[in-house]
Amino acid sequence: MDDVEAAVSRVSAAGGQVLQPPMDVMTSGRMAVVADPAGAVLGLWQARDHIGAEIIDEHGALTWNELVTPSPDAVTGFYADVFGWTAETVPMPDGSYTVFHVEGGSSDGIAGAMAPPVEGMPSFWMVYFHVDDVAGTVERARTSGAQVHMEAMTIPGVGTMATLADPQGAVFSVMTPEAGQGT
């Protein structure tokens, strides 16, 4: 992001909340922490010496971000107002899925949004890491003290994924995209 202060200045008017105003992180960059209108917390980053993820979509690297929220349609305006994202809702067998886009970005989108799989689950952002072998990663994580929240599951047209929590409780997902699927 080019200007974290400008983005933060739009958060309250868009229905969100500023949890941590912009601050310097030494010479690495500037950050802020905000929550969308449904309560999902996210960090904002304005790069200086540290630009962020230089490697994506490779084993062990970031591959996707997904907002889990009771009503994705209710928060798409927040992301449009604060970041300029557009939203495309696509039908799925059990409802719909929202894909966020940025101007000039990949046609696959930059992130997704969906209703929670369990009623009453709070809104949150899930990070997905690309792995070459989801089942093997789950077993290695389990033997290293991780909790498995969702065993490896294959979704046709998407790929295989699982959800884990590290020994300190941080929740994340791992994913092997189906051949030909960009993330």
Side-chain angles (χ1 to χ4, degrees):
M1 131 175 334
D2 293 334
D3 188 344
V4 73
E5 274 85 4
V8 166
S9 74
R10 296 186 293 267
V11 168
S12 294
Q17 181 180 7
V18 177
L19 303 175
Q20 169 62 56
M23 61 179 249
D24 287 327
V25 181
M26 296 172 279
T27 62
S28 296
R30 252 176 108 59
M31 68 168 282
V33 180
V34 302
D36 73 16
V41 175
L42 62 151
L44 310 183
W45 184 254
Q46 179 180 340
R48 288 189 182 144
D49 292 345
H50 178 63
I51 66 165
E54 292 184 46
I55 299 173
I56 59 169
D57 300 333
E58 293 182 13
H59 179 78
L62 174 71
T63 195
W64 190 243
N65 292 292
E66 186 169 69
L67 173 62
V68 178
T69 189
S71 179
D73 291 343
V75 296
T76 57
F78 171 83
Y79 293 99
D81 292 348
V82 175
F83 304 115
W85 296 357
T86 58
E88 170 190 16
T89 302
V90 295
M92 299 292 282
D94 294 329
S96 62
Y97 191 80
T98 300
V99 179
F100 291 111
H101 297 273
V102 293
E103 188 176 331
S106 164
S107 62
D108 294 327
I110 58 159
M114 63 179 241
V118 177
E119 191 173 323
M121 185 179 275
S123 295
F124 66 96
W125 277 94
M126 172 68 72
V127 62
Y128 287 76
F129 295 99
H130 184 126
V131 295
D132 295 332
D133 175 15
V134 171
T137 299
V138 167
E139 286 314 307
R140 283 189 304 283
R142 189 186 326 263
T143 61
S144 297
Q147 289 185 300
V148 179
H149 289 291
M150 183 183 82
E151 294 285 347
M153 173 178 80
T154 300
I155 298 174
V158 175
T160 302
M161 59 190 71
T163 302
L164 307 166
D166 72 17
Q168 287 74 45
V171 178
F172 62 97
S173 290
V174 293
M175 176 180 187
T176 303
E178 191 171 277
Q181 293 297 311
T183 49

